[in-house]
Amino acid sequence: MSVEIESLAGHAHLVEQLAGWHVDEFGHHYADAVWSLDIARREFDAMANTTTDDMTWVAFAGSARTTEDVLGSVSLVATDDLDGFDHLTPWLASLFIRPAARGRGIGTTLV
């Protein structure tokens, strides 16, 4: 399978899908006041539509750029909310691979 990786910038049509995947996968680690579907949408929307220090990369199956072709994503964020580690930056965050695409090296390629 051909895998192509692009920045989320310019792919605002993927914000809802990525936010849903990430909250479904990681949301149980956080209180809703800290990270929720609405917060995830805003974070991905900022990376898709504006210039920010945070970035997300998306893995696509082949050359199409539809939601069905998204295999996974990973983010690089300027800060993480870990006390005592404020001096470390950037952080690799939120690596997610669509369950049907796992075990094929896509996560390694994104990293």
Side-chain angles (χ1 to χ4, degrees), residues 15-39:
V15 166
E16 187 70 28
Q17 178 179 5
L18 293 179
W21 280 355
H22 283 79
V23 170
D24 287 348
E25 188 74 15
F26 306 115
H28 67 279
H29 294 291
Y30 304 94
D32 284 344
V34 174
W35 198 63
S36 63
L37 184 56
D38 185 52
I39 294 168

Side-chain angles (χ1 to χ4, degrees), residues 39-93:
I39 294 168
R41 282 183 189 123
R42 285 182 294 193
E43 290 173 351
F44 282 115
D45 188 61
M47 290 183 273
N49 293 302
T50 64
T51 302
T52 174
D53 288 339
D54 299 339
M55 295 185 70
T56 291
W57 285 272
V58 181
F60 294 96
S63 59
R65 300 295 179 262
T66 68
T67 56
E68 292 80 28
D69 299 301
V70 176
L71 300 172
S73 66
V74 69
S75 298
L76 193 63
V77 297
T79 61
D80 201 355
D81 297 326
L82 293 174
D83 291 335
F85 295 93
D86 303 352
H87 62 290
L88 299 175
T89 188
W91 290 84
L92 187 70

